[in-house]
Amino acid sequence: MRDLLTAYPPLVRSAALVAVTYRGRMILGVITGFFPLLTMAVWLTVVAEGGPPAGWTTGDFLSYYAAATLLWNLSGNHVVWRWDADMRSGDLSIRLLRPVHPFHQYATSDLGHRLVFLAMLVPTLTIAALLVPGLDYPADPVLLAAVAVALALAYALSLLMASTFALVGFWSTQTTNAWLLWWGLGSFASGWVAPLALMPDWLRTAAALLPFRTAMGFPVELLMGRLDPRQTVYGFAVGLGWLAVFALLYRITWRRGIRRYQAVAG
Amino acid sequence: MIEVRDLAKHFRVHRREPGLRAALRSLVRRDHHTARAVDQVSFTIPEGEVVGFLGPNGAGKTTTLKCLTGLLHPTTGTVRVLGHTPHHREPAFLRRVSLVMGQRNALFWDLPAADAFEVNRAIYGVAEAPYRSALDELVALLDLEPLLGKQVRVLSLGERMRCELAGALLHRPDVLFLDEPTLGLDVNGQAAVRAFLRDYNAQHGATILLTSHYMGDVTALARRVLVIDRGTLRFDGDLAALVEAHSPHRLVRVTLREAAPAHAWAGLGEVSTMDGAVVTLVVPRAETAAIAARLLTTLPVEDVAIEDPPVEDIIRAVFADA
């Protein structure tokens, strides 16, 4: 464990250095990082033309999607593509030869990139929160501390889910398609497509039990002060439960899958 | 140090004929066959030895190296390296070995080599002082100073290979596996890498297992060779013994003071090449000394050189015999 803690900072640092190496990629990364604001624009139009749905005001949508932008950039989904490319090309061999488990190498690589984009995004969102009317969050320190934990849980779960799916690559070449199917279905139950409060009852009930809300809707709803203590504890419990489930699934899949690795080429 | 017993690695390979019909048929019915990449291979390599691993393409060299480094799980058999079972991939094992693959980039492609080395230091848990000492030594031996600030992706192949070697050796591995380490390098680059590896073995007593299609790599570094073909070990022993066992002839290169007629060579062996006064004879190994003596007494000889045929030819003969 101590070795891992020693290896994490330089690995994250190296990934951050890679992230800032190419200006074009940085600019494109920042632009795509603001995609949730497009969804917000659609909802604001709906509110303007048809009135607030289910009591959600313009300010609510502003607050929701500004926070959703933060979560959009705090997702570990990207590791699926890295794993997949490395398994196909055989470059996973290079990672397997290092005395740090590949999971941590992909995680630190992703984290380094996330931190660079967040370093640009967070000040922008903070300024927007101060200047844009209607964009408002409760300033309760206990609540903000809980949000910080929920954000860490969101990132950890999305990373672990994506990494577990990536291991499908030991059996199939359809890893990324399988992940897109899972993520696409999950986007309805996470709060990406629309806030869960606006979804049908049956979907809200299902979403409360599924892992997707932990990675998006739960931290946003918490930050907006829409959850009471019981709902907050329940949200954390579901998230931690899924984290444990995916940790176990990852472990089992890795042990079985690595035996099948063919280390192609070279 | 390295113990391999009855190692076998088989792959299940999907096979289909070319063409649209075969492609459509394979959607519903898959044909597979088992490829025996390595079969019943056994050998032992003691600490500090340099061993050349020879074989044609697809012989099983790289697959064996991948089993020895833990990348592949053996189908059957046992492998022990430094007392560890490689495919368990314990960090304590991985910190003591290195695999350099001439066709792969193990450094961080987008970072300067110096940054990549620093990451390796952290990954391998090398303390600052030994890291500095190792880095200084490698920079000097491999002439890396002008390369340290360059992105790895902009380096030439030869420059990159020197950096790859440095990156692989910063943690001072006890066992070094080299898979085509001089692939694509020019003559100077090959010589530099060979000299470096010889020094590294001499200074640190590292065990080295080397595969290469350049016989020069093997003859320069290894006294012992393993020859593998179609997954089976064909020879394990001294390179000199391999030459003796598979080459019953030697080459006698004679330089005369003036050219001699063709009949003058009758009974002295088979004339391989004749270039004016310089003639190369192929003679039975056991008769080499006697023929050389007869040459000196019967012809106006200026110089005589006796040598073995090129090792490439001998290896080819080994595979042909197999």
Side-chain angles (χ1 to χ4, degrees), chain B residues 158-187:
Chain B
E159 291 172 336
R160 187 174 66 73
M161 271 315 299
R162 276 150 54 204
C163 288
E164 290 282 348
L165 270 176
L169 297 175
L170 276 170
H171 61 287
R172 296 258 191 262
D174 296 315
V175 180
L176 186 55
F177 298 101
L178 301 161
D179 191 14
E180 307 284 357
T182 58
L183 189 73
L185 300 190
D186 62 21
V187 177

Side-chain angles (χ1 to χ4, degrees), chain A residues 22 24 47 51 60 75 77 119 123 162 183 230 233 256:
Chain A
Y22 303 106
V47 173
D60 290 335
S75 157
N77 296 355
W183 191 85
R230 191 188 63 79
V233 170
R256 289 171 180 253

Side-chain angles (χ1 to χ4, degrees), chain B residues 133-145:
Chain B
S133 156
L135 184 61
D136 290 347
E137 183 189 327
L138 290 164
V139 166
L141 284 171
L142 291 165
D143 191 22
L144 299 180
E145 192 62 54

Side-chain angles (χ1 to χ4, degrees), chain A residues 18-238:
Chain A
V18 171
V20 298
T21 299
Y22 303 106
R23 283 175 294 185
R25 186 164 69 183
M26 266 185 76
I27 292 166
L28 288 172
V30 171
I31 292 171
T32 55
F34 283 102
F35 270 4
L37 298 184
L38 295 176
T39 317
M40 179 183 76
V42 172
W43 278 110
L44 292 181
T45 308
V46 170
V47 173
E49 291 178 356
W56 272 59
T57 64
T58 299
D60 290 335
F61 280 111
L62 281 172
S63 302
Y64 186 88
Y65 281 105
T69 303
L70 182 67
L71 269 299
W72 174 265
N73 287 276
L74 198 63
S75 157
N77 296 355
H78 311 77
V79 297
V80 173
W81 279 267
R82 297 294 305 277
W83 273 96
D84 183 57
D86 285 355
M87 280 188 186
R88 283 166 181 266
S89 66
D91 278 349
L92 180 61
S93 300
I94 297 296
R95 297 182 185 268
L96 285 168
L97 288 166
R98 296 175 182 147
V100 173
H101 193 289
F103 171 84
H104 297 293
Q105 295 180 50
Y106 290 111
T108 50
S109 171
D110 186 71
L111 193 55
H113 281 80
R114 298 298 110 230
L115 290 177
V116 167
F117 291 123
L118 287 174
M120 291 181 283
L121 184 74
V122 170
T124 312
L125 289 177
T126 308
I127 292 167
L130 294 172
L131 299 180
V132 177
L135 184 56
D136 193 26
Y137 302 107
D140 176 5
V142 176
L143 178 72
L144 292 177
V147 169
V149 177
L151 289 176
L153 182 60
Y155 181 69
L157 183 57
S158 71
L159 185 70
L160 199 50
M161 264 200 303
S163 302
T164 305
F165 261 85
L167 300 186
V168 171
F170 286 125
W171 288 269
S172 167
T173 54
Q174 297 305 308
T175 310
T176 52
N177 289 333
W179 170 253
L180 285 173
L181 179 66
W182 172 257
W183 191 85
L185 292 173
S187 63
F188 289 93
S190 64
W192 280 122
V193 172
L196 286 169
L198 305 182
M199 290 294 194
D201 282 346
W202 65 267
L203 185 57
R204 274 211 306 276
T205 307
L209 294 168
L210 292 171
F212 308 107
R213 179 172 170 256
T214 303
M216 220 295 283
F218 173 63
V220 175
E221 291 164 26
L222 193 61
L223 177 63
M224 292 175 71
R226 285 181 166 260
L227 302 179
D228 62 31
R230 191 188 63 79
Q231 291 169 318
T232 303
V233 170
Y234 178 81
F236 276 117
V238 169

Side-chain angles (χ1 to χ4, degrees), chain B residues 199-278:
Chain B
D199 286 352
Y200 184 79
N201 168 254
Q203 284 183 24
H204 303 286
T207 307
I208 298 178
L209 181 56
L210 160 85
T211 81
S212 180
H213 283 112
Y214 298 121
M215 283 308 303
D217 290 348
V218 177
T219 51
L221 293 167
R223 278 181 50 199
R224 177 182 165 198
V225 292
L226 304 171
V227 180
I228 190 169
D229 187 28
R230 278 169 281 181
T232 307
L233 202 60
R234 304 289 183 194
F235 179 86
D236 177 359
D238 275 3
L239 187 56
L242 177 74
V243 170
E244 201 159 320
H246 289 273
S247 175
H249 298 93
R250 303 192 83 186
L251 302 179
V252 178
R253 201 178 312 278
V254 188
T255 306
L256 301 180
R257 281 190 286 278
E258 56 190 48
H263 64 80
W265 304 100
L268 291 171
E270 182 191 337
V271 176
S272 170
T273 62
M274 183 180 285
D275 182 12
V278 181

